[in-house]
Amino acid sequence: MRILIFLLALGVVVIGIQTLDLKAIKVPGLISPYSMSQPDWTEEKVLTLINDYRQTKNLGVLVTNTKLGKAAKSRLAVITSYEDVQGESTGLSREAALEMVDYNYSWVGDLILLDSFRNSDPISFWENIPNSKQTLEEMNLKEVGIAVKQINDTVTIYVILSTPKAIVTTRRPSLVSWGGPELWTAINKRRIELGVNELRQKDELCTIAAIRLNQLLDLGKLDGHSGFESTLNREDLKWISEKYNISEFLISGYDTPQLAVGAWENTLGHKKLLSGGEYVWGCVYAQNKFGVAIAAY
């Protein structure tokens, strides 16, 4: 019987990965005005919330991994179809899901939000669960896979967070007291002072900023934007550069966000980040005196 259940679950997993749009599954029929007023949840939105939280703790931002994404969708399919959160009855545990997609890790954790109202705050929920809070704040995390399912007023979110085996890091927590939120505030403050609009955050631009910041932290220096074009040309990210006109602004070595903003303002070409009224959207991530600002229109 256990083998039969596992085979059925495996079928659900395959269908879930190949055919389901788990970003926004809707049930046909009438939706109440209350439902329509609730926010839509996407993988990008969840990633941005997690990375924003980690930035407030001066921790590294995470990037998505395709294999982890498939494993997350597998686990979510089993959880929602069989109510098998731990993978005990179906055999599709978190570790089994990672083995199925051939993902090697040195550390792994997960976050689950089950059948919650769509206006809920998953970060606050996870903060109040000791194991989830510890997972959110694990220093050595690098990659993430996210699956989201919406039905009317409710949302279920499953997240796998990992340190890949090949790139275990011993990076110590930053001693710098500022990060992305402080740099974002300083940028918008200066834009207002220069008579242009504040930038509004876009989750997909945060994905670009997170990837680029990790590249610079691993390199240990600025790369002259050499990794920017290749990041935009990734198969899973091409749609972002097709949708927006995107610019990248890099900084390193400054003790405060105000000094970083001042350096941008006094560098030819970079002042546009602060004075360019054409820019409408943006996202900023920073750690260990490295900063990445993405602006777009």
Side-chain angles (χ1 to χ4, degrees), residues 184-197:
W184 174 256
T185 298
I187 289 170
N188 274 330
K189 180 176 183 295
R190 189 56 181 149
R191 284 178 64 86
I192 292 173
E193 291 171 350
L194 293 174
V196 296
N197 56 289

Side-chain angles (χ1 to χ4, degrees), residues 37-262:
S37 69
Q38 301 309 297
D40 283 328
W41 284 90
T42 63
E43 296 166 17
E44 290 82 9
K45 179 176 180 177
V46 175
L47 177 63
T48 297
L49 287 174
I50 292 172
N51 276 335
D52 285 351
Y53 176 82
R54 287 177 62 82
Q55 283 275 275
T56 64
K57 304 294 183 180
N58 288 320
L59 297 167
V61 294
L62 309 179
V63 298
T64 54
N65 177 281
T66 302
K67 290 183 177 180
L68 286 179
K70 290 180 179 179
K73 288 177 172 62
S74 300
R75 289 284 294 127
L76 183 60
V78 167
I79 290 169
T80 56
S81 297
Y82 292 92
E83 298 183 355
D84 186 16
V85 176
Q86 300 300 325
E88 294 176 351
S89 62
T90 62
L92 195 73
S93 64
R94 179 183 63 197
E95 290 73 14
L98 292 174
E99 185 176 350
M100 282 178 58
V101 297
D102 193 29
Y103 183 89
N104 295 317
Y105 59 91
S106 62
W107 193 96
V108 65
D110 58 7
L111 302 168
I112 305 175
L113 182 71
L114 292 175
D115 296 326
S116 185
F117 286 115
R118 281 166 54 185
N119 61 353
S120 300
D121 180 357
I123 299 299
S124 294
F125 174 76
W126 291 326
E127 267 193 296
N128 287 297
I129 301 174
N131 286 343
S132 296
K133 180 177 174 63
Q134 182 178 356
T135 297
L136 273 174
E137 298 180 4
E138 168 58 38
M139 179 183 68
N140 288 318
L141 286 175
K142 278 288 208 173
E143 296 180 338
V144 65
I146 301 169
V148 178
K149 180 178 180 180
Q150 292 181 175
I151 298 180
N152 292 340
D153 294 335
T154 65
V155 60
T156 295
I157 299 171
Y158 183 81
V159 184
I160 296 182
L161 310 97
S162 174
T163 305
K165 196 168 186 177
I167 53 172
V168 177
T169 177
T170 57
R171 187 185 300 143
R172 295 179 180 178
S174 172
L175 298 178
V176 180
S177 61
W178 64 273
E182 292 81 10
L183 187 56
W184 174 256
T185 298
I187 289 170
N188 274 330
K189 180 176 183 295
R190 189 56 181 149
R191 284 178 64 86
I192 292 173
E193 291 171 350
L194 293 174
V196 296
N197 56 289
E198 286 185 296
L199 296 177
R200 288 177 286 171
Q201 184 167 292
K202 275 286 184 182
D203 295 345
E204 51 264 50
L205 300 181
C206 290
T207 299
I208 302 293
I211 292 171
R212 290 291 290 134
L213 178 60
N214 271 310
Q215 290 174 352
L216 299 181
L217 291 172
D218 287 340
L219 189 64
K221 62 180 180 180
L222 299 183
D223 64 0
H225 306 287
S226 63
F228 183 50
E229 185 174 354
S230 60
T231 299
L232 293 182
N233 287 330
R234 276 178 38 170
E235 285 299 321
D236 57 333
L237 301 177
K238 277 184 178 180
W239 68 272
I240 301 176
S241 58
E242 291 170 353
K243 183 177 179 180
Y244 304 100
N245 290 304
I246 304 176
S247 298
E248 177 185 69
F249 303 87
L250 306 179
I251 201 76
S252 71
Y254 293 90
D255 291 332
T256 68
Q258 291 75 24
L259 288 174
V261 167

